[in-house]
Each structure stands twice: as structure tokens, then as C-alpha cells.
Amino acid sequence: MARSSRHLFLAALALISFSGSARAGHLPEFDAAAASPVANATARPAQSKRAESALSSLARVQSRDERYDVPAFVWGVRRAAVTAAGKAARPAAARSADAAARSHLGELAPLYRLQRADIGSARLSRLQDKGAGPVIATYVQQARGIEVFRDEFKVCLDRNLDLVSVSGYLPAIATAPDPAEAFELSSARAVSLALKDFAGLATEPAGVVASGAAEGGYEKFTSPAVMRDRTDGLAVESGLRARRVWFHLGDALEPAWYVEVMGETAAYSYVLSARDGALLFRHSIMQDATHSYRVWANPSSPFLPMDGPQGDGASPHPTGTLSMYNPALTAPGLITLDHGPISSPDPWLPLGATETVGNNVDAYVDLVSPDGRTAGDFRASTTAPGAFDRVYDVNQGPGASAAQRMASVTTLFYINNYLHDMFYDSGLDEAAGNAQVDNYGRGGVGGDPILAEGQDYGGTNNANMSTPADGGSPRMQMYVFNPTASANLVISAPAGIAGTYPAGVASGFGTQVFSLAGQVVAGNDGTAPITDGCTSLTTVVSGKIALIDRGTCNYSVKAQNAQNAGAIGVIIVDNVASSSPPGLSGSSGSIFIPVLSVTQATGALIRAQLASGVTVTMVRPTQVQRDGTIDGHIVSHEWGHYVSNRLIGNAAGLDNQQGGGMGEGWSDFFSLLMTARAGENLAGCYNVGPYALSSSAVASNVYYFGIRRYPYSTDMTKNPLTFKHITNFQALPVGPPMQGDPTGATNAEVHRTGEVWCSMLWECYAALIADSPRLTFDQAQS
């Protein structure tokens, strides 16, 4: 890079990266080399491909550095394969590890557009040999006796000193300038500039004085008084040191100072130009203070969120049948971390944070109008320094207390941040348009953290995600779910039909909360059909529970006739085949006994055993609202909408019916990605969103179906949907259990079309997982 263009380049970077403004929490990572042009980069791929082909018997390139178009990781072809190709194996005793590693690198030099002489001039900086296992030799590049910043090879050898792998690279370097002329800026000045940036000072601090030499070519420095006397956690007592380095800017070498600043609560490394002090590199070398969150997440690294308060045991469904499975709810645990599975590693919260608002997510309850965090809304606050430790009580409603709401928001904050980190290294980074306040100079438009609104005032029994173009904050609205009018009929005798059966309820008449035990008898009247109870009952039902068939007259009429005859309860049997019992419409203020409905199949079981005596308990308990804010399935589903809408047309895509169906399917698949664990059978039954729909007091099949018509499964006897089932009135297959309309009248509705698209992805995912041992579970997931 010519010196004039180099000055223009660094001057532009200085305007955005080294302004000396007041420091506010975590300083962004910065690397001038990432944006510096590399000469003739477009001419290099053909040369690289020829070298890779010529050396294929020695090595296989796994990944490349795109900027220099050189390998970043190379696997050696194992010794047995090389020997089979005719190359004699060299005895380990005849060479040192250093000589062997250099020999391997010399053979592979053309891959990196290097000469053997370039390998010979590299300095062995570290040799790791424990006497067993691999030997690792690390080489760094030097020019005129000064190390080139970050350029290194790590060569892994087996015990025979044959090549296992090479990571890193040593780009071919231009002739370095004379250090006596190039290093115009003093080391003390470089340290002073680093301190100015570190502390956000308006001017460079005076009093930076060298205090002697240190190992590794470093100079030590005394911290100036203005840095020692700080009370904001950025005080620097010691730990100031600097050394000369060359820094790659394109193909040229920039003389520079590497500086380390060790403060009380933060520590950074810097590289500053030795010509004019321009910032070339900034990196946090302190693991930011961790925070603790009491949430539903796995207690071991990487602390993956659980499906919800039900834990992970309900996916896949433990029986794969309509068994009325109702898992016990688990308690949230205290998870301590700073970030999720992300390579950067960017923290969720800055040091000293006291609320659930960070660079990726601003999470709060949105309880009152207008939309957004306004008066009456609030975030979760810390319970102790660095801790968000509140227990959500699943036996209480979502709004039981401010602490309950803050516990909910903590989980919402955790899941959103975890998803951000989980998908970052798979490509959803700043340049791709992800949602962050500060994009750290890595591309994209900043200022758009996800606004995660829990227990939103705007509705119930739903959730949504609004996604503007990059630079506008996506808004996730999570609602509470009203309890479904659920009940059970528990048959205790005879043993052959004993069990728990789903039951429908009446909302306009009869007792609304009950647990009633009794004997079931036929509630017949004197008019055909005699089992429908539409006229006065003629059988003795006093003190008993009357069994009456659906049909001919209103449900409330049947219940009133049974109550008039002395029945203590009523069970109404459906007159058509269905997988779920009917809801009982109608209203009456004069009926005060419990009333339930059952399916035609359940009613037939009971009628067949009446002569033997059937004893049941009718159960309809008090139920509390469930909070969708803490349902991991629903949160990850909505987060998936942000991803697909941001990535397709920058929020302007998915604008037709089929696109909407794809979006719903992809979002379901995001939930399943978070749910499936290594070793599970994907032919089992997986669900989406059962916690928000379920009740701890009432057994149902919601953990089989979730919110969809079928569970997700590669087993066609569990989920028989194919592509034709995106068409309205394409009848659904007969046989597999399903919920909803079997005629398929609304197949084209986006959520139902989405079931088909998600099933396609689930089949692909299962095939990748099955491709073992070529792929590990983590590789298949990625």
C-alpha cells in the first residue's frame, strides 16, 4: 500500500474508531487489517487451485483465509496413505520435531505462495511435547528481527513426527522498512494514546514513563497519576507494557507498537501505528464479568435453553401415543455466563449492568399502552451485583407480582441472547443484518437491538415478531395464554377401562370448578331415541352420574333434565367419531351440577361396562394463565421470523401466501433445532408450544400435538403430511391421530402450509444427523 493511500485509509478509520470520546462500557473490537485491501487478490485463486491439486497427496485444505486466499486449516494425508502412494516413511529418531515440522511446511509452501526460504526464516516460538499424544510446533514470522503481529503457523505432528494438521498462515511479506527510520513514534507516546482510548480521555495523559525491560522484547511503563487515581473501575496501577511489531495492512508492513493496558475491571490490547499513532487494532483481553440468570436452561456448558418449565423430557413424546402425558414442571436453575456459543466473544451485558438491556436485546414487560417500554412497564433488575435471581412460580399467574414478571423477563432475555450467539457463527452476523446496538465496525447497520416485550398488553393466546429493515429494532411481543376449558374424566373401575380420558366442558351452565366422584348410570328418557335425555328421565339417576348421548336438543336441556331427576353430575357422549370431545354450548342459570362431554369412543367403553359398575371422577380444576414469555418453543419460533424476514429482501420478502407458509415452517423448525438433542430418535413425536397450552392440573394430549395438527416426526404413521397438503380441501390421511378438521379445508392457511415446509426440513435434518460418523450431531445442526 503506497504511503499516501495508507494515510488516507488510516485517517478514515481514525474518524470512526479512535475518536477519544467518553468511554461507555465495553469498547468495540477493532482490526484495521480486516478492511485493508490486498493487492492482486483476484488473480490468486487459480494459482491456489493449481497448488492444492499438485499437493493433494500430501494435504487436504479444510478452510481458507478469504482475504489472502491461503489455507487457514490443512489436514495432512496420513502416513499410511502416503506410504501406500510410494513415499518412504522417515524414522522419527532421524530428525527433530522442529526439523520435521519445517520439512512438512516446506513441502506445503506452494499452498501459501511461499518459498522454502520463507519457512526457514520463521521463528520457532513454542514447542509442545508432553511425551505422549501430539507434538505442536508454533512458528511466527519476523522481518528485520521484529515479529509480524499475529502471523503464525501451528503444526501438529503425531508421535512419528508425521503431519496431522497445520492451522494459521504466514503470508508472504514485502520488504520491511528500516526500523531506525520507520518507528517515528515513541513507545511512551503509543502507551499514552492507548490510555486515552481506554479511559475515554479528551487528551493524552501526561506522565507515562518507561520503567525497564521485560521478557519477550517488552518495555514496562509506570502508570500516570490520572490513571492510578480513577474510581470508575478503569484505574491502571501496573501492567502497562509495549513492544515493536509489524502490522499487515494489505501486502505492506506497517511499523507499530503492541500495547497492553490492564485496568481493574477491563483490559485491552492495542496496536498503534509507529508512524502517526493511528489505531490499528483493539481487543478485550479480559473475560467480561459473568452474570447469573435463574432460567430454564441446561446446567452444563453450553447452557442450552430448555423447552420450557417442562424441561426437555417431553420431546420427543415419551410414549408416542395419545396417552394423556402431562409432565411435572421443573424449577429454574441459576446459570452463570457472559455469553453463549459465539466465537467473538461479545458479552450480553456490560460490566456493572443492573437491568436486562444489552447490545443484542432489550427485554421488559409491556403491560400498558402505548407500545414500547413506557410508564408502567419495566425490565428485570439485578437482585445482587451481576445476578438476576428470581424464581418464577408456575403455580401462580404470570402477573402475580412484580418479581414474577421480572423472573419471566429474565428468561426472555436469556433465550433471545442465546439464539443470537448460537446463530452468529453460522452467518447471522452484523454484515448479514443481525440486530445489535453496536455492530463493532463489522458491517451492517447498528442501533437495532431486539425489543423483547413480555406479557404484552395487546392480546392473549398468541405471539408475534415485527421485523423492519436492518437498522430498525425487531419487536417480539409475547402474550399470556388463558387456560383452555380443559377437564378430565378419570375412570377408576372396572380395571379394564381404568384411566384418564379427555373431557369437554360447558362454559355457560353448570358448576365451573369441581372434582366429583360417583357411579355412572344410563340417563334414559321415555321418548326415542331414549339415550338423548331430551325429555324427563325414566331411569333412576338420583345420587348418580347420568350418561346421556349428544343429539336432538341443546346440551343445557339434557343437563337440566338430569339435575331434575336427582343426578349429581352429567356425562354427555358425542354422537360422531372425533379425536377430541365436543365443547358444550348453551347457557342456563339454573344448572348447578358438574357437566362434561366425552368422545364417542370413550362413551362406548363406558356403556359396555355399565352392568359391571363404572366408577369415575369428574375433574375440572381452577387453572391459572400460562406465560408464553417463558415457553422456549414459542420464543424461538418468533425469533425465527426475525431471521427469515431480515434475511429475505431485508424485511421486504415473503410477501405472498406461499412465502408466508415457508416463514411459519422455518420458525417451527427453529423451535425444533433448539429442542432436539444428540442421540434422540427423530422418528419420535416432537411438538411446538405445549407449555403455554397445557395445565399442570389437567392431563391432555397437548404434549403430543402441541399447537399443530400432527406432531413433527419422520414416521409417516405419526405425521403423514406431504406437499399436496398445502392445497385447500386436500383431505388429510385417515388413521394417524390428528387434531382439527380432517377435510383439509384450510390447508393453504400459512401456519398449516408451514407444517408441510417444516416437515421437509425435519426430514433433511434427520438425514444429516443419520450421516454418522461423517458428521457429528453438532456439525449436522450447524
Side-chain angles (χ1 to χ4, degrees):
M1 182 184 293
R3 183 160 183 175
S4 60
S5 62
R6 170 252 174 222
H7 275 299
L8 288 172
F9 173 71
L10 291 180
L13 289 176
L15 290 174
I16 60 172
S17 306
F18 201 39
S19 61
S21 59
R23 189 183 195 279
H26 184 76
L27 289 171
E29 305 284 304
F30 177 72
D31 185 358
S36 60
V38 178
N40 303 318
T42 58
R44 292 174 173 169
Q47 179 183 354
S48 300
K49 289 178 181 177
R50 287 194 299 271
E52 191 171 332
S53 176
L55 296 171
S56 61
S57 64
L58 300 178
R60 175 173 60 84
V61 176
Q62 177 70 29
S63 61
R64 307 189 70 83
D65 178 84
E66 294 179 359
R67 197 158 50 89
Y68 290 102
D69 191 41
V70 295
F73 194 94
V74 171
W75 287 110
V77 175
R78 302 300 291 155
R79 179 177 178 181
V82 173
T83 303
K87 182 173 181 175
R90 292 163 293 185
R95 54 197 170 131
S96 68
D98 179 24
R102 289 182 188 273
S103 175
H104 292 307
L105 289 176
E107 291 176 319
L108 300 181
L111 286 177
Y112 302 88
R113 294 187 300 280
L114 298 174
Q115 305 297 320
R116 281 186 178 269
D118 297 318
I119 303 301
S121 65
R123 181 175 67 87
L124 178 67
S125 66
R126 186 179 300 113
L127 185 66
Q128 299 168 259
D129 185 356
K130 301 296 185 181
V135 179
I136 301 175
T138 302
Y139 297 91
V140 297
Q141 186 66 281
Q142 290 183 316
R144 293 182 178 262
I146 298 173
E147 187 174 312
V148 181
F149 180 65
R150 290 184 303 187
D151 288 1
E152 71 172 21
F153 272 132
K154 287 186 181 291
V155 183
C156 182
L157 309 173
D158 63 18
R159 297 311 298 173
N160 291 320
L161 302 185
D162 285 321
L163 181 66
V164 176
S165 64
V166 180
S167 63
Y169 56 89
L170 296 180
I173 58 174
T175 302
D178 183 352
E181 298 178 358
F183 282 79
E184 303 171 31
L185 191 81
S186 70
S187 56
R189 178 79 193 285
V191 172
S192 179
L193 285 168
L195 288 172
K196 176 176 179 280
D197 180 79
F198 174 79
L201 300 175
T203 59
E204 296 173 41
V208 174
V209 179
S211 59
E215 290 186 36
Y218 285 95
E219 287 182 87
K220 295 186 295 184
F221 293 85
T222 301
S223 181
V226 68
M227 295 305 302
R228 296 195 303 271
D229 297 338
R230 298 181 71 93
T231 59
D232 58 359
L234 300 180
V236 178
E237 296 286 347
S238 59
L240 282 173
R241 64 177 187 166
R243 66 183 174 93
R244 292 182 176 189
V245 296
W246 300 110
F247 187 89
H248 267 294
L249 281 179
D251 291 310
L253 293 180
E254 179 77 6
W257 291 102
Y258 172 81
V259 180
E260 290 178 345
V261 179
M262 304 291 290
E264 289 180 343
T265 59
Y268 285 84
S269 62
Y270 291 87
V271 179
L272 302 115
S273 170
R275 298 187 193 273
D276 55 15
L279 178 66
L280 301 175
F281 180 83
R282 181 203 292 127
H283 172 61
S284 173
I285 54 177
M286 174 183 284
Q287 182 70 33
D288 288 83
T290 56
H291 292 78
S292 297
Y293 307 87
R294 188 165 293 280
V295 294
W296 284 277
N298 288 273
S300 58
S301 180
F303 309 110
L304 184 71
M306 293 180 177
D307 300 342
Q310 74 271 26
D312 292 335
S315 295
H317 192 281
T319 68
T321 63
L322 300 182
S323 59
M324 303 285 284
Y325 169 70
N326 192 36
L329 302 181
T330 63
L334 194 63
I335 304 298
T336 301
L337 44 63
D338 188 54
H339 57 79
I342 187 173
S343 61
S344 40
D346 301 322
W348 293 355
L349 289 172
L351 295 169
T354 59
E355 291 186 312
T356 48
V357 53
N359 197 50
N360 312 322
V361 182
D362 186 355
Y364 51 90
V365 287
D366 189 12
L367 304 176
V368 294
S369 178
D371 180 58
R373 191 176 62 85
T374 56
D377 306 327
F378 50 87
R379 303 177 176 116
S381 60
T382 51
T383 54
F388 298 85
D389 189 6
R390 294 180 178 88
V391 178
Y392 187 97
D393 184 353
V394 293
N395 297 311
Q396 300 291 322
S401 65
Q404 181 89 322
R405 295 187 193 277
M406 287 190 185
S408 174
V409 166
T410 300
T411 291
L412 184 63
F413 181 80
Y414 185 96
I415 297 175
N416 271 273
N417 273 290
Y418 195 97
L419 286 164
H420 171 280
D421 290 3
M422 181 177 178
F423 281 84
Y424 186 95
D425 286 346
S426 291
L428 190 65
D429 56 12
E430 296 88 350
N434 74 357
Q436 295 180 184
V437 177
D438 188 341
N439 281 8
Y440 301 139
R442 302 171 190 158
V445 184
D448 60 349
I450 286 179
L451 305 179
E453 301 179 345
Q455 301 183 10
D456 196 275
Y457 71 90
T460 57
N461 306 330
N462 207 342
N464 63 59
M465 172 67 85
S466 302
T467 310
D470 193 15
S473 282
R475 183 191 64 193
M476 175 184 288
Q477 292 182 310
M478 306 301 298
Y479 302 130
V480 298
F481 281 68
N482 292 323
T484 56
S486 298
N488 290 153
L489 183 70
V490 181
I491 301 178
S492 52
I497 62 171
T500 300
Y501 297 82
V505 300
S507 57
F509 60 90
T511 301
Q512 299 297 293
V513 176
F514 49 81
S515 178
L516 173 73
Q519 183 180 358
V520 180
V521 296
N524 296 341
D525 57 31
T527 304
I530 63 172
T531 58
D532 65 6
C534 288
T535 59
S536 297
L537 301 189
T538 57
T539 52
V540 178
V541 297
S542 182
K544 310 293 185 183
I545 297 172
L547 186 71
I548 297 173
D549 285 340
R550 178 185 182 182
T552 309
C553 61
N554 190 272
Y555 299 117
S556 61
V557 172
K558 303 171 187 290
Q560 187 70 64
N561 288 334
Q563 180 177 288
N564 293 343
I568 59 173
V570 180
I571 300 172
I572 297 177
V573 180
D574 202 355
N575 59 358
V576 294
S578 176
S579 60
S580 57
L584 304 176
S585 59
S587 62
S588 172
S590 61
I591 300 171
F592 51 83
I593 61 175
V595 183
L596 293 178
S597 67
V598 295
T599 64
Q600 186 180 57
T602 301
L605 290 175
I606 295 173
R607 282 197 183 279
Q609 297 294 326
L610 287 179
S612 303
V614 177
T615 303
V616 303
T617 301
M618 302 172 66
V619 179
R620 186 180 178 184
T622 300
Q623 299 178 66
V624 299
Q625 289 179 315
R626 285 287 170 88
D627 192 353
T629 312
I630 60 175
D631 190 315
H633 284 145
I634 295 178
V635 175
S636 54
H637 174 99
E638 297 306 328
W639 198 85
H641 280 305
Y642 138 66
V643 177
S644 61
N645 282 289
R646 180 61 64 84
L647 293 183
I648 299 175
N650 196 16
L654 300 180
D655 58 350
N656 55 34
Q657 189 75 6
Q658 191 66 266
M662 288 178 171
E664 292 297 338
W666 297 335
S667 282
D668 271 8
F669 185 66
F670 270 57
S671 290
L672 298 180
L673 270 180
M674 295 294 289
T675 295
R677 304 289 188 262
E680 291 179 353
N681 179 11
L682 302 195
C685 295
Y686 287 81
N687 50 58
V688 174
Y691 169 75
L693 302 179
S694 66
S695 168
S696 59
V698 176
S700 70
N701 285 314
V702 69
Y703 281 94
Y704 182 87
F705 293 111
I707 59 177
R708 302 302 180 216
R709 293 174 294 177
Y710 297 97
Y712 286 112
S713 175
T714 61
D715 184 346
M716 294 291 284
T717 68
K718 305 295 185 185
N719 186 319
L721 295 175
T722 63
F723 190 59
K724 67 184 177 184
H725 295 116
I726 66 170
T727 304
N728 283 342
F729 295 105
Q730 178 68 50
L732 301 180
V734 176
M738 62 90 60
Q739 59 181 358
D741 180 7
T743 68
T746 58
N747 284 343
E749 189 272 332
V750 291
H751 295 87
R752 296 188 171 183
T753 295
E755 293 178 63
V756 176
W757 285 107
C758 183
S759 294
M760 295 180 190
L761 287 172
W762 193 239
E763 294 281 355
C764 295
Y765 186 38
L768 287 173
I769 290 176
D771 192 4
S772 175
R774 187 178 74 89
L775 295 176
T776 66
F777 176 83
D778 289 342
Q779 288 171 331
Q781 186 182 66
S782 179

